[in-house]
Structures are given as structure tokens and as C-alpha cells.
């Protein structure tokens, strides 16, 4: 399939279509359907929160091929943006990450060749869950980068901003915030590196990816909140970058599974329940 080569070379952009209005944390509740007719599957349904959906040449999407089997009846398909019945819906207006386009994608009797089934029928749910596991490492790294930038901006501002004829980094209250930032950022980096190492080594890494994503995303929110506090009133206006960091960081606690879902994954793994 030419999609792999074009995506790997950067000639084409890809997208990941999983979430639906009633299938977020409960991804098994997929309502999009795929019915095999001759040599094509006919897809009907709507996906939401699709990153790059309006620009992607290729999209991987889940659809129910056997409704009677629950999550084991979900299959995955490679969709091309010129397939009949492929419709780009609305572009979302978001709190943060506005440089990243988030779209609604509609399948209106979308015709997908049988050869574009990804894997086997009924294997889509497992495929997507494994994809999300790896994606959690990326979300952790994304959160870490924002937190690092927020701390660096705070240090720069703190050295320049004076109150009572003294740079505010000289005040112990500011130093305590910087110390907490640096410690949590370093801890997050170690968790992310550990999860990535386990994945690269071919080891089981799902629990560790969830830990890295959970800690780093919540850490980023704490760091960005304190960065705004260090900036004072300036932190609340767009002239300084920390207000954007704060808005952008929030997605880390939601994307690739919410913080609540990560805690469930971690607990079940520790308890041997999965």
C-alpha cells in the first residue's frame, strides 16, 4: 500500500479517527458501521476530535463490522481523502493548541476497498489500544516540553522583573516555585525515558507509558500555573508566552486517555487485573 511510503517520507499527512460523540473514554462504544458489499466496505458514521483530519491524505478509522461482538466486532480501515462519501466536517475552535487543526470527519456511505482493511476483521480495537499506549509516551513528552519552556520563561522573567529594587528570583517564594518545577520536570523526564526504553526494547510498556503520561501531563499543568503566578499580571496577557503554555498543556490531561483512565490502567496493571 502506497500510504506507508508517503507517510514515512513526509509526502502525505496522516490522521487517527477513533473518538465519536458517544465513544471517548469508552472507545468500544463505536457507532460507525462498515458493511461489506462486494469488494468494498460501506462506512457510515461520524468521528470527532481528529487531529489533522482536514489536511490528511490518509486516515485510519475504526468501524463496527460485527455489532454482536462488542469491541471484538470493531475493525480498522485505511481511508483515503478522495474516497466517495468521505466528508470533512467542522474545524473545532479550541482553548489551546490552535496551531493544530482538529476536525470532524463524516463517512456518508463512504466506499472503502476491501484491501484497505487494516489487519483482520474484529482486530481494530486491539490495534487502536496498542497505538494509544505508544501515543501516551508522546503526550508525556509533549507535556514535558511545555513545562520546560514555562520554567525557562519564568527564570528569564524572574531575573528581569524587579520589585522593591530586587530581582524577584532573589525572593525565597520564587525560588521555592522554581525548585518544585525543576524537580517535577526531571522526574517526568525519567518516567518518559523509562517508558520509551521499554518500548524500544520490545518489553511490556503499557503501565509505564500510562504512568509517564499521567505524571507529566498533570505536572505540566502545575508548572504552567506557577509560571503564571511568577509572572503576576503579565502572566495573564498574551504579550508573554506562559498563558499559552497553560492553555496548551491542558490537552495532556485529556488526549490519549484522560488522567482518570490512566489511573485505572495503572491500578489494574499493578493489581494483575488485565
Amino acid at each position: 500500500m502506497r500510504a506507508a511510503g508517503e507517510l514515512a517520507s513526509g509526502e502525505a499527512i496522516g490522521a487517527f479517527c477513533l473518538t465519536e460523540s458517544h465513544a471517548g473514554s469508552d472507545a468500544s462504544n463505536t457507532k460507525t458501521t462498515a458493511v461489506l458489499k462486494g469488494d468494498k466496505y460501506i462506512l457510515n458514521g461520524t468521528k470527532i476530535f481528529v487531529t489533522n483530519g482536514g489536511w490528511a491524505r490518509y486516515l485510519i478509522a475504526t468501524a463496527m463490522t460485527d455489532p454482536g461482538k462488542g469491541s471484538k466486532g470493531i475493525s480498522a480501515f485505511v481511508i483515503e481523502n478522495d474516497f466517495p462519501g468521505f466528508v470533512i466536517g467542522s474545524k473545532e475552535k479550541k482553548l489551546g493548541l490552535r496551531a493544530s487543526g482538529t476536525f470532524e470527519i463524516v463517512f456518508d456511505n463512504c466506499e472503502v476497498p476491501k484491501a484497505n482493511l487494516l489487519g483482520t476483521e474484529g482486530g481494530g480495537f486491539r490495534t487502536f489500544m496498542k497505538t494509544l499506549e505508544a501515543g501516551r509516551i508522546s503526550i508525556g513528552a509533549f507535556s514535558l516540553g511545555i513545562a520546560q519552556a514555562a520554567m525557562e520563561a519564568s527564570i528569564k522573567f524572574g531575573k528581569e522583573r524587579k520589585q522593591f529594587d530586587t530581582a524577584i528570583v532573589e525572593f525565597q517564594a520564587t525560588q521555592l516555585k522554581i525548585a518544585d518545577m525543576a524537580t517535577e520536570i526531571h522526574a517526568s523526564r525519567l518516567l518518559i525515558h523509562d517508558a520509551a526504553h521499554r518500548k524500544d526494547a520490545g518489553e511490556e510498556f503499557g503501565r509505564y507509558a500510562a504512568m509517564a503520561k499521567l505524571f507529566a501531563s498533570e505536572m505540566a499543568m502545575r508548572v504552567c500555573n506557577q509560571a503564571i503566578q511568577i509572572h503576576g499580571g503579565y502572566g495573564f496577557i498574551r504579550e508573554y508566552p506562559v498563558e499559552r503554555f497553560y492553555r496548551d498543556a491542558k490537552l495532556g490531561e485529556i488526549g490519549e486517555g484522560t488522567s482518570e483512565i490512566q489511573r485505572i490502567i495503572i491500578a489494574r496493571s499493578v493489581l494483575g487485573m488485565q
Side-chain angles (χ1 to χ4, degrees):
M1 188 177 291
R2 68 178 186 273
E6 291 181 20
L7 291 168
S9 67
E11 296 175 54
I13 293 174
F16 180 72
C17 306
L18 175 63
T19 305
E20 300 180 5
S21 59
H22 297 289
S25 295
D26 179 14
S28 65
N29 196 31
T30 297
K31 301 301 183 186
T32 297
T33 59
V35 178
L36 183 60
K37 293 186 177 180
D39 61 351
K40 292 182 179 180
Y41 285 92
I42 307 300
L43 270 63
N44 281 285
T46 301
K47 300 291 184 177
I48 60 173
F49 305 153
V50 181
T51 302
N52 292 330
W55 307 315
R57 176 75 179 90
Y58 302 102
L59 306 92
I60 308 298
T62 50
M64 187 67 74
T65 49
D66 191 339
K69 291 185 178 180
S71 64
K72 293 182 179 179
I74 297 174
S75 303
F77 299 87
V78 179
I79 313 295
E80 299 183 29
N81 65 0
D82 59 356
F83 283 173
F86 175 85
V87 180
I88 298 170
S90 58
K91 184 173 183 287
E92 302 296 345
K93 297 178 180 179
K94 301 181 296 184
L95 170 73
L97 291 175
R98 295 174 185 171
S100 170
T102 302
F103 295 83
E104 174 189 64
I105 297 295
V106 179
F107 302 117
D108 183 9
N109 289 317
C110 182
E111 300 177 11
V112 181
K114 186 177 180 180
N116 283 45
L117 174 68
L118 184 61
T120 59
E121 274 202 12
F125 185 77
R126 179 173 175 78
T127 296
F128 268 56
M129 291 302 102
K130 297 301 290 185
T131 301
L132 288 173
E133 280 187 356
R136 286 168 189 143
I137 300 175
S138 299
I139 294 291
F142 150 86
S143 299
L144 173 64
I146 292 176
Q148 182 74 41
M151 182 177 73
E152 291 174 1
S154 298
I155 292 170
K156 181 178 184 293
F157 179 84
K159 289 179 177 179
E160 297 170 351
R161 175 67 168 166
K162 290 187 176 182
Q163 291 290 273
F164 310 105
D165 296 322
T166 303
I168 64 172
V169 291
E170 298 294 330
F171 298 133
Q172 189 178 60
T174 303
Q175 292 173 5
L176 295 178
K177 294 183 189 302
I178 297 297
D180 286 343
M181 289 178 176
T183 301
E184 291 201 82
I185 286 171
H186 185 60
S188 295
R189 183 172 284 110
L190 294 177
L191 281 167
I192 293 161
H193 284 181
D194 176 65
H197 173 75
R198 291 173 186 273
K199 180 180 185 300
D200 287 347
E203 300 174 6
E204 177 57 45
F205 67 93
R207 177 203 302 188
Y208 303 98
M211 288 177 172
K213 190 265 189 191
L214 171 65
F215 188 83
S217 62
E218 294 192 347
M219 172 278 300
M221 287 301 295
R222 291 191 292 270
V223 167
C224 290
N225 182 54
Q226 290 304 316
I228 291 175
Q229 197 69 17
I230 288 172
H231 281 70
Y234 291 109
F236 205 69
I237 61 176
R238 292 189 177 182
E239 182 181 350
Y240 290 83
V242 288
E243 63 86 27
R244 178 181 176 180
F245 296 154
Y246 186 84
R247 290 185 289 105
D248 287 353
K250 184 59 188 176
L251 182 69
E253 295 183 314
I254 300 170
E256 306 295 292
T258 63
S259 291
E260 292 77 11
I261 291 296
Q262 303 315 304
R263 287 184 166 88
I264 291 171
I265 291 169
I266 295 164
R268 289 180 176 175
S269 177
V270 171
L271 293 169
M273 296 171 65
Q274 62 180 26

